[in-house]
Amino acid sequence: MDFKVVGTSQTRWDAEAKVTGKAEYTRDIPMHNLLYGKVVRSKIAHGRVINYNLEEALKVPGVIKILTADDVPEHTYSTAGHPHKLNVKFQDKKDTNIFTRRVRYFGDAIGAVIAETELAAEIAVNKIKIDYEQWPFYLNSTDALQPGAKEIHDGSGNLVADTTNEYGDVDKAFKEAKYVFEDEYHTQTVQHCHLETMVAYAYKDVDNRWVCISSTQIPHICRHILGDAFNMPFGRFRVIKPFVGGGFGNKQDIVIEPLVMAMSMAVDGKPVVLEMTREELFVCSRVRHANDYKMKIAIDENYHITGIDMDVLSQNGAYTSHGHTIALVGEEAAMELFNVENFRARSRTVYTNTAVGGAMRAYGTPQAAFALNSLAGKAARELGIDQLEFQMKNVPKSGELCNGTQVMFFTSELSECLRVGRDSFDWVKRNEDCKKFNLDNSDRKRGLGVGTLIYATNTKPHSPSIESSGCRLILNQDGSVKMMIGATEIGQGSDTVLAQMAAEVLGISYDNVYVDKYTDTDVSPFDPGSFASRQTYVSGMAVKKAAEVLKVKILEAYILFTPLYSEIDLDLVDGYVVFKKTGKKLESLGDLALKTYYDFHKGNCLTADVSINCQTTAYSGTACLAYVEVDTKTGKVEILDIMNVHDAGKIINPMLASGQVEGGMAMGIAYGLGEELLYDYNNGKPLNNNLLDYKMPTCMDVPDLKVAFVEPIDPTGPFGNKSLGEPPLSAPAPAIRNAVANAIGLEINSIPLTPQRVLETLNK
Amino acid sequence: MLNYFRPKTIKECLEFITDERVYIAGGTDLMVELKKGHDLSNKTVIDLTHIPELSGVKKVYGELEIMACTTHDDIVLNKDVNKCLKALSLACRTVGSPQIRNKGTVGGSVGTASPASDPMPALMLADGRVVIINKKGEMREEKLEDFIIKPGVTTLKNDEMILSLKVKSLEDYKQSFFKIGRRKALAIARLNFAMAILMNNDETIKDIRIVVGAALPVTKRFYDIEKKLIGKKITKEVIEQVSKQISEQVLAIAGPRKSSEYKIPVIRNVINRMLKEMEV
C-alpha cells in the first residue's frame, strides 16, 4: 500500500505547547473561588472506623466542611473503567463506596476535608482522630487464603474469582511429552508512576449539571461511573479531559472523581479540587498485580511445545477494580505465545489488604510473559539448544488459527522479529563471545536472553466489552478539516496519528487537520477511551470511515457544481480535486469548500459523523533481546545491549512509535531490575511510597535502547496497523532474566533482579 | 515561633547562635525532614548559605582546609582536591543528583552524621579533622572519628558550629572510592568504601588506608589492619586475608541484620577487588 501521510514522522501538534509549558494540564486551569479537598486516609490496614472525632479539625480556620462515610451514598459502585455491559453477569463487581467505615487497606478513603486553602485542609486532616476496631491483615495472596483468614469482602473467602480454563487434552499432552519442564515464578507489585498524579475538579455549572475536569484516560466512562456512584442520570454529568501527563492504565480507573464530586455536592456545587500527592498515588490509586505462578510445559522430540499447565495466584489488593480480568488476560497471553494445542490454567485472584490492583500497561501479560519465557529459557538451557531458535520455532505464524481464542493470526511475524533481532543483535557471534569471556573472567559473567509476547489489539477477544468509536469531521471554509474524536490523548500521540489517518484519506496535509485540545463528553463523540492499545486500531477505523464519508461528500459537491464528471473519475490529492486518469488538478479543496459553504442555492456545510463497532482484533508480536554482564561479586546486573523488535503491522508514525517502544522498554527494564512497592509486615503500612525510596531507573540506569519494526500489513487494521502502546514493556524483564540465567548458569525466578537477589542465588 | 536568620559573615552568625539553633548548610536533609513533619517551631534557623567565608578550599602546608559550606559540586570541580584527595572528588561526584550536589555541602554532610554519607569515608581516609568555633569565637579541632558519636549525633555543642574540615594531602597515594546504591544516580549509598595506598620502590606497602562507610552505623577506618600491612607486598593471600578480616569486623560491629546476607560477602568482594586494582 502506498501512503503519503501515514507512515511518516509528523510532529505532534501539541509538542510545542508542551515543551514551552503552555499546554494546560488539569491543575493549570484557573478557577474562581476554588475550594480544596483532602482525603482522610486510614492509618490501619484492616478494620472498622468506630468513631470520627472531628471537633479539633473543625476549629481549623478555613475549614468549610468535613465529610465522613455517613455523608455519602450507601450503595457501592465499580471503579473499573470498562464500558458498561448490558449483561449483568459480565459487569464489574460493585464494591466501592465513596468513603468507607470498613477499612480494607492502609490509606483507604474514610472521609474528606473541604477547606479554603490546601494547607488548612491538610492541617484539619491531621487533627481528625479516628477510633478503629482492628482486624488481622494480609499482605500477600497466600496469607489471605489461609483457612480462617478474616474476609476482606464478606462472603468472598478472599477470592475475587477462581477459574479453570482448559482446552485440548492436557493430561495426554504431558503423558506423551518427551520432555516436561516446570518451575515457580514470582512477580512483584509496581506502580505506574506517571508524572501527573490523579487530579480533578468538580463543580455545578450554570445549566445545573455537574462538571468534572479530570486527568483521565476515559472521559465517557468516567461520566457513566459518576452516574453509577451517585445513582443519577448520566446526562447530568459532563466530563472534560485537558492535557494529561501520563496514565499507563492507572487513569482507566475512576478513583478520585466521585470523591471530588461528592465534595462539591456537599458545598452547593462550588468548585472543589482534589489532587493526590505522590505518596497517596503510590498506594491509594492502582498498582500492578503481584503474581505467583506454577508453570509447566510439555515438549515433544522436535522441540515443539505441545502443552501448558499453569496455576496463578494474582494479588488483587483491597477492592476488585479490574479484578480477575488481569489474570485472564495473562492466561490468554500464555495460550497465544506458543499457540499450544493443549492448555490448562487455574487462576485465583485474591483480595489482600494492599494497594488495589488495576489496569497497568500491558494488563496482566508482563507477569505471564515473565513466567512463560523464563520457563522456555530454562528448557532451552537444559536441552542445550539455542533459546532464540527454540522460541522462533514455537511462536505462531501468519495464517494460523489461535487454538485458545479461535482468532486468526492474519499476520503474526514474531518469528521474523526474532530473526531480525538475531541478525542485528549479532546473536550468534555474541553467544560465542560470552562463552570465551566467561572462561577468561571469574568475577564477571555475560549472557544473552530472549523475551517474547503476543498481544491482542483492543479488549477482544477476552472481553465482552463493546469496542466502538466515533469520529466527526467538518470541512472548514478553507479546505482544512476539523476532527472531533472520543479517542483520548494522554501523551501517547493518538491525536497525531488519527489526524494523519484523516489527512491520508482526504488527500490533505497533516497540518490541515485540526484536533480538539480537550476531550469533552458534551462535544466529543463516544469512545470508551485510551486503553488496551486500541485507539490507533479501533478509533482509527472510525476516523477512516468518517474521512471516507466526507470524501464522497466532497466529490459529490464538486460534481454538483461541475456536472461534467462522475464521482468514480475523481480523487482528492494534495489538497485538490483531481481527475484520476491524468492526475489533472481540477479545483483546490479551499475553493470548493468556500462554495459549499456560501453558494446561495447549493451551499451546505460538509460534515461526516460516524460511529463504528469493531468486531475484530489483531495479534501483534514483540521480541526483546538482552545482552548482560553480571558482577558476581556484587550481584549487579549491567545491560550491555538491549533491543526490542515489534510486529505492530503498519507503523503510522515511526517517531512516535519508537518513542512508545523506548518508554515501554525503560518500564520493562525497571520491572526486571529495580522497582518494587513494599509493605511493612508489622503494621501493613507502605514502606517506599515515594520517588526517593521507590527506585525508578534514572537516565543513568537505562542503556541505549535499540528499536526495530517488522511491518506486515494486517488486513483487519484500518491502515494495516496493530497494537503497539502496551506490548513493549512485557518482553524486557524475561529477556534480562534469561540473559542473567545464561550468564551465571542459575535460575532466578523472582523479579526484580536486585543485586541482593542475584548474589543470594550465586551463593546458594 | 520560628526564627530565621541569614547572616553574611561568620562574626554575625555567631551572634545568632542560641541553644535552639538549627543550621541550614545546604538544606538537602533538613528540607526533606521538614516535609516529613519535622517540627521546627521554637527553633532558631540559621541559614549559612550566604556566608562567603564559609565556602572554598585552601591549601596550607600539605593540608587542605575545606570550608564547611563548600558544596559537593565545588569539590568535584576543585583542582586542589582533585590533586591531593582524589577519593573525595570521586565520592562527591556520586552524591544524589546535580541539584543535590549544587546545594549540599561537606560541612552539612559531616554535621548530620548520616551513616550513608559519601564524603565521609574519603575525609576519614585523609585523617580528617573538624574545625569548630563557638559563640565566643573560640576554636577547637577534633578528629572525625571522635566527632561522630553515632548516627545523627556528634560532639558539637549547642553554642558551636562547624567552621571547616582539615584533611591531609594524599597527593602521592593511589586512591579509590566505591559506592553501591540502588541505582546509578539519585540514590544514597547502601555500601561505600574509600582506599588509599602508597608503595615503596621494592613493591612493599609504605602506607595504606582503608575506610568502610554506609554498612556501619559510623564510618570506620581500619587502623589495626592497615598497620599490619605496612612493609608487606600485596599478594593474593594478603588480599584474601584483609578482605576477610574487614568483612568479619563489619559484621561484628553492625551485628547480623536482614541485609547482612548481602552486604557482608559484598564488602569482602569489593575490598578484595579494590586491593587488586591498587596493585596494578
Side-chain angles (χ1 to χ4, degrees):
Chain A
M1 265 190 267
D2 261 352
F3 297 121
K4 283 198 160 167
V5 191
V6 160
T8 61
S9 291
Q10 300 292 337
T11 305
R12 43 188 310 155
W13 74 270
D14 55 1
E16 193 186 313
K18 282 183 171 170
V19 297
T20 55
K22 284 177 188 148
E24 282 176 333
Y25 293 79
T26 299
R27 198 62 191 84
D28 298 325
I29 294 168
M31 191 78 68
H32 284 299
N33 304 319
L34 184 62
L35 298 175
Y36 297 81
K38 191 91 196 151
V39 178
V40 184
R41 301 211 170 267
S42 70
K43 296 271 191 281
I44 62 163
H46 198 191
R48 241 179 64 80
V49 173
I50 297 171
N51 191 31
Y52 295 90
N53 302 299
L54 306 179
E55 213 169 299
E56 289 302 309
L58 283 166
K59 283 186 202 157
V60 175
V63 169
I64 307 281
K65 208 162 206 174
I66 298 178
L67 300 178
T68 69
D70 308 335
D71 301 317
V72 292
E74 269 178 39
H75 75 276
T76 50
Y77 60 97
S78 167
T79 61
H82 297 132
H84 178 70
K85 291 166 195 95
L86 295 174
N87 185 340
V88 179
K89 204 176 87 187
F90 295 130
Q91 286 177 3
D92 290 301
K93 244 180 219 174
K94 296 178 175 164
D95 63 1
T96 305
N97 280 105
I98 293 171
F99 303 118
T100 179
R101 272 183 182 260
R102 172 97 176 241
V103 172
R104 294 185 169 93
Y105 70 100
F106 198 103
D108 213 341
I110 54 178
V113 174
I114 307 155
E116 282 167 359
T117 66
E118 211 165 355
L119 189 61
E122 200 175 321
I123 291 170
V125 164
N126 290 328
K127 293 204 175 203
I128 295 173
K129 290 188 190 73
I130 309 285
D131 303 320
Y132 296 104
E133 179 185 322
Q134 294 203 43
W135 301 336
F137 56 86
Y138 314 101
L139 301 178
N140 62 52
S141 304
T142 313
D143 289 354
L145 289 182
Q146 289 300 318
K150 175 94 184 159
E151 284 185 332
I152 296 167
H153 290 271
D154 292 339
S156 67
N158 286 340
L159 276 168
V160 178
D162 178 352
T163 56
T164 302
N165 288 314
E166 185 170 0
Y167 64 80
D169 191 337
V170 178
D171 294 327
K172 185 162 164 258
F174 277 89
K175 217 164 91 191
E176 290 175 356
K178 178 95 189 275
Y179 312 100
V180 171
F181 292 94
E182 62 186 307
D183 221 327
E184 295 184 10
Y185 298 93
H186 173 76
T187 66
Q188 80 282 30
T189 303
V190 290
Q191 217 269 334
H192 315 64
C193 295
H194 35 79
L195 264 183
E196 186 196 28
T197 63
M198 285 186 171
V199 52
Y201 292 96
Y203 60 92
K204 187 153 87 172
D205 212 342
V206 289
D207 58 2
N208 281 331
R209 288 161 73 223
W210 294 94
V211 180
C212 180
I213 304 177
S214 172
S215 174
T216 178
Q217 297 177 213
I218 46 169
H220 281 283
I221 297 178
C222 178
R223 173 159 86 159
H224 196 108
I225 293 176
L226 284 170
D228 280 348
F230 293 96
N231 231 340
M232 278 163 61
F234 309 122
R236 300 272 292 136
F237 295 96
R238 174 183 178 190
V239 175
I240 299 168
K241 176 222 67 101
F243 288 102
V244 172
F248 303 117
N250 204 21
K251 294 172 184 170
Q252 199 202 338
D253 257 47
I254 299 306
V255 179
I256 61 166
E257 291 86 344
L259 278 59
V260 70
M261 189 57 75
M263 294 181 208
S264 179
M265 286 179 176
V267 292
D268 303 324
K270 291 200 186 85
V272 180
V273 64
L274 179 61
E275 183 174 15
M276 273 197 181
T277 62
R278 180 65 57 180
E279 288 78 1
E280 279 179 302
L281 187 83
F282 262 105
V283 285
C284 308
S285 61
R286 298 292 175 261
V287 295
R288 190 186 295 289
H289 293 64
N291 285 2
D292 297 304
Y293 286 93
K294 286 193 183 106
M295 186 69 85
K296 203 165 138 187
I297 52 175
I299 300 173
D300 71 11
E301 61 280 5
N302 299 317
Y303 301 133
H304 192 80
I305 300 171
T306 55
I308 292 177
D309 192 356
M310 62 191 264
D311 182 303
V312 56
L313 280 182
S314 181
Q315 182 184 328
N316 197 72
Y319 292 92
T320 309
S321 176
H322 289 248
H324 199 52
T325 47
I326 305 282
L328 294 181
V329 170
E331 278 185 14
E332 279 190 11
M335 292 172 193
E336 292 151 359
L337 183 55
F338 302 128
N339 195 16
V340 286
E341 284 157 14
N342 308 287
F343 179 91
R344 178 164 56 215
R346 181 182 185 198
S347 292
R348 281 169 291 171
T349 300
V350 186
Y351 289 119
T352 53
N353 298 109
T354 52
V356 180
M360 181 170 173
R361 196 176 188 180
Y363 208 88
T365 68
Q367 296 96 318
F370 175 74
L372 191 53
N373 279 294
S374 298
L375 187 55
K378 176 182 173 172
R381 204 163 27 261
E382 291 191 9
L383 292 170
I385 55 176
D386 184 287
Q387 193 209 338
L388 191 146
E389 303 289 338
F390 176 54
Q391 308 246 130
M392 215 191 252
K393 186 189 199 71
N394 279 289
V395 296
K397 315 291 186 296
S398 295
E400 281 181 31
L401 180 73
C402 180
N403 291 308
T405 61
Q406 295 297 304
V407 171
M408 274 296 279
F409 291 99
F410 284 109
T411 56
S412 179
E413 294 301 326
L414 179 50
S415 59
E416 180 64 9
C417 293
L418 285 162
R419 195 193 59 74
V420 167
R422 182 187 66 193
D423 294 350
S424 49
F425 209 66
D426 233 347
W427 178 266
V428 178
K429 184 177 172 293
R430 272 186 177 165
N431 256 321
E432 292 306 313
D433 292 349
C434 287
K435 277 180 203 150
K436 188 172 178 308
F437 182 91
N438 293 345
L439 279 177
D440 295 347
N441 288 276
S442 58
D443 273 22
R444 295 172 201 274
K445 301 287 176 192
R446 290 182 175 176
L448 290 164
V450 177
T452 49
L453 178 78
I454 293 283
Y455 199 76
T457 308
N458 71 46
T459 57
K460 292 185 187 308
H462 55 266
S463 163
S465 279
I466 180 141
E467 274 299 353
S468 71
S469 178
C471 175
R472 189 181 307 133
L473 295 174
I474 302 160
L475 183 68
N476 292 329
Q477 290 89 332
D478 61 353
S480 65
V481 169
K482 169 76 197 163
M483 181 169 83
M484 295 160 86
I485 42 176
T488 312
E489 169 73 58
I490 59 165
Q492 79 280 52
S494 60
D495 279 358
T496 307
V497 296
L498 294 173
Q500 282 180 257
M501 291 176 177
E504 182 70 47
V505 175
L506 291 168
I508 56 177
S509 64
Y510 157 73
D511 49 14
N512 268 321
V513 181
Y514 302 116
V515 192
D516 281 321
K517 144 170 110 153
Y518 293 176
T519 310
D520 181 337
T521 53
D522 268 13
V523 177
S524 313
F526 180 80
D527 184 303
S530 179
F531 52 85
S533 303
R534 59 181 290 283
Q535 293 194 149
T536 315
Y537 187 85
V538 180
S539 308
M541 289 178 182
V543 170
K544 188 184 182 190
K545 189 174 170 193
E548 283 167 353
V549 170
L550 184 62
K551 182 177 173 180
V552 170
K553 287 192 179 180
I554 292 169
L555 297 180
E556 282 172 356
Y558 179 78
I559 296 163
L560 195 64
F561 292 111
T562 322
L564 297 167
Y565 296 94
S566 147
E567 189 196 311
I568 50 163
D569 296 328
L570 302 175
D571 201 359
L572 296 176
V573 179
D574 297 338
Y576 282 87
V577 178
V578 299
F579 187 58
K580 251 190 210 165
K581 258 185 208 155
T582 60
K584 190 186 168 206
K585 290 176 176 170
L586 301 174
E587 186 172 26
S588 83
L589 205 48
D591 291 343
L592 177 62
L594 205 63
K595 274 198 261 176
T596 66
Y597 265 85
Y598 300 116
D599 184 272
F600 196 73
H601 296 290
K602 300 174 186 168
N604 68 24
C605 169
L606 300 186
T607 64
D609 193 345
V610 308
S611 181
I612 58 103
N613 182 317
C614 167
Q615 291 291 350
T616 59
T617 185
Y619 284 119
S620 70
T622 304
C624 178
L625 288 75
Y627 180 29
V628 306
E629 181 175 301
V630 182
D631 182 339
T632 60
K633 299 295 172 187
T634 62
K636 196 143 178 48
V637 176
E638 183 93 32
I639 300 172
L640 301 175
D641 201 0
I642 189 160
M643 178 176 199
N644 260 31
V645 190
H646 286 265
D647 159 18
K650 175 73 187 169
I651 299 300
I652 310 297
N653 183 318
M655 182 167 62
L656 287 178
S658 298
Q660 277 277 24
V661 175
E662 285 175 16
M665 288 173 79
M667 239 171 165
I669 291 168
Y671 191 52
L673 289 180
E675 291 180 16
E676 181 167 20
L677 184 63
L678 298 165
Y679 279 86
D680 187 337
Y681 272 76
N682 296 313
N683 49 24
K685 197 176 162 180
L687 280 171
N688 59 342
N689 53 327
N690 61 70
L691 288 175
L692 182 64
D693 298 317
Y694 179 95
K695 299 293 184 195
M696 286 180 84
T698 67
C699 59
M700 303 273 289
D701 300 280
V702 178
D704 284 343
L705 304 167
K706 289 185 180 157
V707 180
F709 296 103
V710 170
E711 296 188 60
I713 301 293
D714 192 88
T716 67
F719 292 88
N721 53 300
K722 304 189 280 188
S723 60
L724 185 65
E726 297 167 280
L729 88 71
S730 291
I736 293 165
R737 179 266 173 211
N738 282 334
V740 169
N742 284 332
I744 64 177
L746 297 165
E747 304 288 327
I748 305 185
N749 293 347
S750 295
I751 40 176
L753 302 181
T754 57
Q756 181 154 354
R757 186 165 274 147
V758 174
L759 200 77
E760 280 167 7
T761 309
L762 283 162
N763 291 345
K764 234 176 236 166
Chain B
M1 261 298 274
L2 176 149
N3 289 312
Y4 173 85
F5 296 111
R6 200 167 79 185
K8 290 207 169 58
T9 63
I10 293 172
K11 191 164 168 271
E12 200 182 35
C13 175
L14 297 177
E15 287 170 26
F16 294 132
I17 294 180
T18 70
D19 276 358
E20 295 299 322
R21 53 79 187 148
V22 173
Y23 298 119
I24 298 182
T28 55
D29 273 356
L30 188 71
M31 292 305 167
V32 178
E33 288 300 315
L34 273 177
K35 209 184 162 196
K36 282 185 188 163
H38 187 94
D39 187 15
L40 279 188
S41 47
N42 302 322
K43 297 276 182 193
T44 297
V45 176
I46 305 175
D47 185 346
L48 307 175
T49 59
H50 287 69
I51 305 175
E53 305 163 70
L54 267 185
S55 179
V57 179
K58 294 174 214 162
K59 197 174 175 189
V60 208
Y61 306 113
E63 267 198 351
L64 293 180
E65 181 170 16
I66 303 166
M67 300 312 290
C69 287
T70 311
T71 65
H72 301 299
D73 195 52
D74 287 340
I75 287 175
V76 171
L77 297 173
N78 188 282
K79 280 186 189 134
D80 287 331
V81 176
N82 251 306
K83 199 167 150 204
C84 303
L85 191 51
K86 184 75 189 165
L88 184 62
S89 306
L90 295 172
C92 288
R93 208 182 288 267
T94 71
V95 173
S97 61
Q99 294 92 326
I100 292 171
R101 292 195 289 275
N102 284 338
K103 278 282 161 202
T105 62
V106 188
S109 182
V110 169
T112 50
S114 156
S117 164
D118 286 314
M120 192 71 83
L123 293 169
M124 246 180 223
L125 198 66
D127 305 327
R129 278 144 38 235
V130 191
V131 182
I132 296 155
I133 188 166
N134 70 8
K135 198 171 165 63
K136 291 176 203 156
E138 296 161 348
M139 311 239 286
R140 68 178 177 100
E141 280 188 21
E142 193 164 18
K143 279 174 74 179
L144 263 173
E145 280 97 331
D146 302 329
F147 179 71
I148 291 166
I149 299 168
K150 60 179 185 185
V153 181
T154 66
T155 65
L156 197 73
K157 298 189 189 81
N158 283 343
D159 67 341
E160 290 181 330
M161 65 177 263
I162 299 174
L163 195 64
S164 66
L165 292 140
K166 283 187 179 165
V167 290
K168 193 181 162 187
S169 166
L170 301 179
E171 196 176 335
D172 302 331
Y173 287 64
K174 196 167 175 182
Q175 302 171 37
S176 64
F177 175 84
F178 189 82
K179 168 174 173 173
I180 295 181
R182 286 193 194 271
R183 64 183 165 199
K184 287 183 183 166
L186 277 160
I188 59 164
R190 294 191 79 195
L191 296 170
N192 57 14
F193 310 82
M195 202 181 278
I197 196 163
L198 187 64
M199 302 296 283
N200 291 313
N201 289 335
D202 62 353
E203 290 183 0
T204 57
I205 296 171
K206 188 172 180 188
D207 189 21
I208 183 165
R209 292 144 184 258
I210 304 170
V211 185
V212 175
L216 292 161
V218 175
T219 304
K220 180 178 165 64
R221 193 169 146 191
F222 291 83
Y223 291 103
D224 50 341
I225 294 172
E226 290 171 5
K227 233 178 271 168
K228 285 185 209 150
L229 287 171
I230 291 171
K232 284 192 181 162
K233 285 191 176 174
I234 308 179
T235 60
K236 209 179 157 197
E237 291 71 35
V238 168
I239 292 175
E240 287 296 330
Q241 200 188 358
V242 169
S243 45
K244 184 165 177 282
Q245 283 173 348
I246 290 180
S247 59
E248 280 167 1
Q249 282 199 28
V250 170
L251 182 62
I253 300 165
R257 283 190 287 176
K258 216 180 156 190
S259 56
S260 314
E261 212 174 306
Y262 172 68
K263 285 186 176 174
I264 300 304
V266 171
I267 289 169
R268 187 171 166 172
N269 291 339
V270 170
I271 296 280
N272 196 309
R273 182 177 289 169
M274 286 174 88
L275 279 167
K276 266 188 206 156
E277 283 164 5
M278 286 288 178
E279 191 195 353
V280 189

